[in-house]
Amino acid sequence: MSTQAPHPALLIPGPIEFDDAVLQSMSHYSESHVGAPFVKTFGEALTMLRRLFITEDPASQPFVISGSGTLGWDFVAANLAERGDDVLVLHTGYFADSFADCFETYGVRATQLKAPIGDRPQLDAVEKALSEKKYKLLTVTHVDTSTGVLSEIEALSKLVRRVSPETLLVVDGVCSVGSEEIQFDKWNIDVVLTASQKAIGCPAGLCILMASGRAIERSRSRSTPPGSYFASFKNWLPIMQNYEAGKPSYFATPSPQLVHALHTSLTQILSVPLADRFARHKEVSQKVKAAVTKLGLRQLADKPENQANGMTAIYLPEGFTPPQVLPSLLKKGVVFAGGLHKEIATKYIRFGHMGVSVMDPKREEIDRAIVSLGEGLAEAGYKA
Amino acid sequence: MSTQAPHPALLIPGPIEFDDAVLQSMSHYSESHVGAPFVKTFGEALTMLRRLFITEDPASQPFVISGSGTLGWDFVAANLAERGDDVLVLHTGYFADSFADCFETYGVRATQLKAPIGDRPQLDAVEKALSEKKYKLLTVTHVDTSTGVLSEIEALSKLVRRVSPETLLVVDGVCSVGSEEIQFDKWNIDVVLTASQKAIGCPAGLCILMASGRAIERSRSRSTPPGSYFASFKNWLPIMQNYEAGKPSYFATPSPQLVHALHTSLTQILSVPLADRFARHKEVSQKVKAAVTKLGLRQLADKPENQANGMTAIYLPEGFTPPQVLPSLLKKGVVFAGGLHKEIATKYIRFGHMGVSVMDPKREEIDRAIVSLGEGLAEAGYKA
């Protein structure tokens, strides 16, 4: 029996449903942020992040900071590029536009490489762009939450290393860490930034980053100071190193309750082999996508290789809008999200299938949601 | 009976002990950050902040952002001053040095006006400084957590308005909001920045600001863009206005669990007249300070008018250090903090007395802590 009050199943692409034990960790009694018990909890959470990102390189550095995924962009823009530098932003939806805005805020010139909605920039186009200009870093949204488009990180990394070896590879993993395979060392990634409330399965409020030794070195060898005080690798690096070494340390007060919840969720995630976790997300995603197709509906991401495994963005039938469809789904106990990509926001809905809703065999909310989607559309007059 | 597991009483100057109902709100089931129920909760929390800061001016704008108090400095430095501007930082401890560092990060020139440890800059010195140079804003730490020194906001505001009416008055209220009186409108304040985990009584993870219409206007009339993407009034202003108007809105994902806890703590705070709350904090503070004096100990803040009402920074007897004293207090079930002011960190300890530990008549931890302090010192060989 769940300890949570009855509530509609939250199946948006984040925040997701949380496990009972994770939510209970949120109400941990108050502890000093520099006392031995909490230092141990925080240090263990950082060490577990190394396992989640599959990195054994001791130069890799995890960061857990109060904030949101968006704050991760400030970390990248304010530390890994300098005023006047060029960066290349691969665009697969809303979040690339915003990341580019963030760069511009710090005086960094962001060139966007765009693809049609539902698609991703092809490797030959990326190669061409990289050969035309010197980019300090390249960013890619692993899964764009606005479109459900999946990017290919390993092939991209090989390309960057071959064509422009000095360019750092930055992965926006807000909607992918925990539901898509990420091999930090093997794929030679420099930064993955993410947030707590999606497939990591911990309530919102934490910005989480993994930075390579090369990225840290880049932030150290700047010719100008970092562009942010709160979002500064320099200010947080000794703090994270101290927590992981079991030593109290202070720059700004972390959130003990959120870190406890993160510790619980990471412990759960790492209790099964990561390969099994990603396989299970793929399997459930295939089931959702097959059901969508059977209903005669199309996805924004229309090629199988472009499709995320933790969410599905679904075009509504012609003439239907999210405000017609979402309330009737809510009455059936299922919360989906509306569209977010500005050009087509009124034409599609988003179905998140990540974390405990996928991994906990006692939960049946995804099967229920599939049924509800069909029923809700039928009741609204749609004939598959 | 408390629903919390048995634990030592956390009496550091933040994070503080939390009420059972606040901690239970932390484990609220997952909700969409743009769904009607959470939008209502967030909007109500923002409106309650207006009451906590005693502002009825509709131009005043509350902000609640995932982060910490430190992030509030970035908001001020990146939005209310521009590269090359001068600002005046009144120094009463560690946190002024850090706030000045934050300004320098954004290219803003911070002039510090210092006082001897335990004292605060006098009004005539502030007046002299303001008449010598044009400062875009003046910052004052209402209570410096490193020293327990209380600053005088109302008199300072009158002085600034008289001598340099264009200068914005920015109050760092991290260690004062909820334990010290703040009259946002009446005292003509432009910004109060604070965090959730001190006298507001909600777990750490939220940066909270109240900005005047004049401050918002200053951020709008900049000649250069704001210096931060995440810490940008421009990016968050429409979001906060929408939440308070009951409309869903998105810039970055807020933390529903933390906002629920904030809603609960603000509801509790506002259930008694604020004047009674501040009087009670003063009364308990006087009791603590009298006990400290009776033990033959001195405070860092040695003038009564300089002494905070939510914490006490206490010099240890000659020859005693925090590592000798704090562990024996922990054995008695009381957690105090060590020193933080770099020049004298090994010579003093800090006792926080804020929030439910002060306001809840069922809690006896402050009386227990007073007794424990005397016993702990006696056991360590000190004779009062």
Side-chain angles (χ1 to χ4, degrees):
Chain A
M1 268 289 282
S2 170
T3 53
Q4 300 173 46
H7 63 278
L10 188 61
L11 295 172
I12 65 176
I16 66 169
E17 281 290 316
F18 302 121
D19 184 73
D20 290 352
V22 171
L23 283 180
Q24 283 157 22
S25 300
M26 290 291 283
S27 48
H28 194 283
Y29 60 77
S30 195
E31 285 179 314
S32 168
H33 53 303
V34 290
F38 176 66
V39 170
K40 180 168 182 285
T41 302
F42 200 165
E44 287 174 356
L46 291 166
T47 301
M48 284 193 278
L49 284 174
R50 296 180 186 273
R51 290 174 57 202
L52 176 63
F53 286 89
I54 314 179
T55 173
E56 295 184 353
D57 185 340
S60 300
Q61 182 59 51
F63 293 84
V64 173
I65 316 279
S66 285
S68 78
T70 300
L71 181 66
W73 295 342
D74 286 71
F75 268 97
V76 170
N79 293 279
L80 302 182
E82 301 187 56
R83 210 159 269 279
D85 281 350
D86 283 293
V87 301
L88 184 64
V89 174
L90 305 195
H91 185 288
T92 50
Y94 176 90
F95 290 92
D97 291 320
S98 307
F99 203 168
D101 278 353
C102 179
F103 281 115
E104 300 288 343
T105 301
Y106 290 94
V108 176
R109 288 188 297 214
T111 300
Q112 288 203 52
L113 189 61
K114 299 204 178 191
I117 293 174
D119 209 347
R120 60 193 186 194
Q122 300 301 300
L123 290 177
D124 54 355
V126 178
E127 178 160 1
K128 184 163 173 289
L130 286 175
S131 62
E132 284 169 357
K133 201 185 271 184
K134 181 122 187 120
Y135 292 105
K136 271 287 167 73
L137 56 88
L138 174 149
T139 76
V140 55
T141 316
H142 197 178
V143 170
D144 196 294
T145 317
S146 74
T147 58
V149 169
L150 176 72
S151 292
E152 45 185 346
I153 307 303
E154 189 176 14
L156 198 59
S157 176
K158 284 182 181 154
L159 170 67
V160 174
R161 293 296 163 250
R162 177 169 58 79
V163 180
S164 182
E166 303 278 283
T167 301
L168 297 182
L169 176 62
V170 174
V171 177
D172 177 340
V174 170
C175 197
S176 74
V177 173
S179 57
E180 306 286 348
E181 183 183 17
I182 296 179
Q183 299 265 0
F184 193 81
D185 286 357
K186 198 174 152 206
W187 295 355
N188 219 331
I189 302 171
D190 290 301
V191 174
V192 179
L193 63 96
T194 190
S196 45
Q197 77 276 9
K198 303 206 182 190
I200 288 179
C202 165
L206 296 176
C207 170
I208 296 169
L209 298 111
M210 183 67 72
S212 70
R214 207 161 72 127
I216 296 295
E217 189 45 43
R218 176 76 61 91
S219 75
R220 279 193 177 123
S221 62
R222 296 171 61 90
S223 59
T224 56
S228 172
Y229 184 74
F230 190 70
S232 159
F233 281 140
K234 190 179 154 203
N235 289 338
W236 282 110
L237 182 68
I239 310 301
M240 295 296 135
Q241 289 174 336
N242 281 335
Y243 270 112
E244 210 174 349
K247 289 184 274 187
S249 197
Y250 175 74
F251 167 62
T253 308
S255 179
Q257 281 70 20
L258 277 168
V259 171
H260 269 286
L262 178 65
H263 188 284
T264 302
S265 66
L266 290 173
T267 303
Q268 290 180 349
I269 288 173
L270 296 170
S271 69
V272 294
L274 284 173
D276 293 0
R277 179 178 178 87
F278 299 134
R280 176 70 185 149
H281 275 80
K282 191 160 214 158
E283 183 190 338
V284 170
S285 181
Q286 290 301 318
K287 182 160 71 173
V288 169
K289 287 165 171 67
V292 165
T293 304
K294 203 175 162 197
L295 282 170
L297 303 177
R298 287 191 309 120
Q299 295 174 54
L300 270 65
D302 57 359
K303 299 175 195 164
E305 69 271 22
N306 286 2
Q307 294 168 351
N309 293 299
M311 66 171 288
T312 306
I314 308 162
Y315 279 115
L316 290 171
E318 192 72 35
F320 288 76
T321 63
Q324 287 173 294
V325 175
L326 297 180
S328 74
L329 288 171
L330 178 59
K331 276 191 203 134
K332 294 175 188 296
V334 178
V335 182
F336 282 173
L340 185 59
H341 194 297
K342 283 167 192 164
E343 294 171 39
I344 52 167
T346 60
K347 297 187 172 172
Y348 74 107
I349 58 173
R350 294 173 298 146
F351 179 171
H353 32 82
M354 296 177 248
V356 286
S357 299
V358 166
M359 297 303 294
D360 182 349
K362 291 191 301 296
R363 286 179 176 254
E364 295 164 350
E365 54 226 20
I366 290 177
D367 288 336
R368 248 195 307 131
I370 291 172
V371 173
S372 300
L373 178 62
E375 288 177 356
L377 286 170
E379 287 164 20
Y382 171 67
K383 290 184 182 64
Chain B
M1 270 290 282
S2 171
T3 54
Q4 299 174 46
H7 63 278
L10 189 62
L11 295 172
I12 65 176
I16 66 168
E17 282 289 316
F18 302 121
D19 184 74
D20 291 351
V22 171
L23 284 179
Q24 282 158 22
S25 300
M26 290 291 284
S27 49
H28 195 283
Y29 60 78
S30 196
E31 285 179 314
S32 168
H33 53 304
V34 291
F38 176 67
V39 169
K40 181 167 180 287
T41 301
F42 200 165
E44 288 173 357
L46 291 167
T47 301
M48 283 193 279
L49 284 174
R50 296 180 187 273
R51 289 175 57 202
L52 176 62
F53 287 89
I54 315 180
T55 174
E56 295 183 354
D57 185 341
S60 299
Q61 182 59 51
F63 294 84
V64 173
I65 316 280
S66 285
S68 78
T70 300
L71 181 66
W73 296 341
D74 286 72
F75 268 97
V76 170
N79 294 280
L80 301 182
E82 301 187 56
R83 209 161 271 279
D85 281 351
D86 283 293
V87 301
L88 184 63
V89 174
L90 305 195
H91 184 287
T92 50
Y94 175 91
F95 290 91
D97 291 319
S98 308
F99 202 168
D101 278 353
C102 178
F103 280 114
E104 300 288 342
T105 300
Y106 290 93
V108 176
R109 288 189 297 215
T111 300
Q112 289 203 52
L113 189 61
K114 299 204 177 190
I117 292 174
D119 209 346
R120 59 194 187 194
Q122 300 302 300
L123 291 177
D124 54 355
V126 178
E127 177 161 2
K128 184 162 173 287
L130 285 175
S131 62
E132 283 169 357
K133 201 185 270 184
K134 181 122 187 119
Y135 291 105
K136 271 289 167 72
L137 56 88
L138 173 149
T139 77
V140 54
T141 316
H142 196 178
V143 170
D144 196 295
T145 317
S146 74
T147 58
V149 169
L150 175 72
S151 293
E152 45 184 344
I153 307 303
E154 189 176 14
L156 198 60
S157 176
K158 283 183 182 154
L159 170 67
V160 175
R161 292 298 161 248
R162 177 169 58 79
V163 180
S164 182
E166 303 279 283
T167 301
L168 297 182
L169 175 62
V170 174
V171 177
D172 177 340
V174 170
C175 197
S176 75
V177 174
S179 57
E180 307 285 349
E181 183 183 16
I182 296 179
Q183 298 265 1
F184 192 82
D185 285 357
K186 198 175 151 205
W187 297 354
N188 219 330
I189 302 171
D190 290 300
V191 174
V192 178
L193 63 95
T194 190
S196 45
Q197 78 276 6
K198 303 205 183 192
I200 289 179
C202 165
L206 296 177
C207 170
I208 297 169
L209 298 112
M210 183 67 73
S212 70
R214 208 161 70 128
I216 296 295
E217 189 46 43
R218 176 76 60 90
S219 75
R220 278 192 177 124
S221 62
R222 295 170 61 89
S223 59
T224 55
S228 172
Y229 184 73
F230 189 70
S232 159
F233 282 139
K234 191 179 156 201
N235 289 337
W236 282 110
L237 183 67
I239 310 301
M240 295 297 134
Q241 289 174 335
N242 282 336
Y243 270 112
E244 209 174 349
K247 290 183 272 186
S249 197
Y250 176 74
F251 167 62
T253 307
S255 179
Q257 280 71 19
L258 278 169
V259 171
H260 270 285
L262 177 65
H263 189 283
T264 302
S265 67
L266 290 173
T267 303
Q268 290 180 349
I269 288 173
L270 295 169
S271 70
V272 294
L274 284 174
D276 294 0
R277 179 178 178 86
F278 299 135
R280 177 73 186 147
H281 275 81
K282 191 159 214 159
E283 183 190 339
V284 170
S285 180
Q286 289 302 319
K287 182 160 71 173
V288 169
K289 287 165 172 68
V292 164
T293 303
K294 203 173 162 198
L295 281 170
L297 304 177
R298 285 192 309 119
Q299 296 174 53
L300 269 66
D302 56 0
K303 297 176 196 163
E305 69 270 23
N306 285 1
Q307 294 168 351
N309 293 300
M311 66 170 289
T312 307
I314 308 163
Y315 279 114
L316 290 171
E318 191 71 35
F320 289 76
T321 64
Q324 286 173 293
V325 175
L326 297 180
S328 74
L329 288 172
L330 178 59
K331 276 191 201 137
K332 295 174 189 297
V334 177
V335 183
F336 282 172
L340 185 58
H341 194 297
K342 281 167 193 164
E343 295 170 39
I344 51 167
T346 60
K347 295 188 174 173
Y348 74 106
I349 59 172
R350 294 173 298 146
F351 179 171
H353 33 83
M354 296 177 247
V356 285
S357 298
V358 166
M359 298 302 295
D360 182 348
K362 291 194 299 296
R363 287 179 177 254
E364 296 164 349
E365 55 226 20
I366 289 177
D367 288 335
R368 247 196 307 129
I370 290 173
V371 173
S372 299
L373 178 61
E375 289 177 355
L377 285 171
E379 287 164 21
Y382 171 68
K383 290 182 183 64

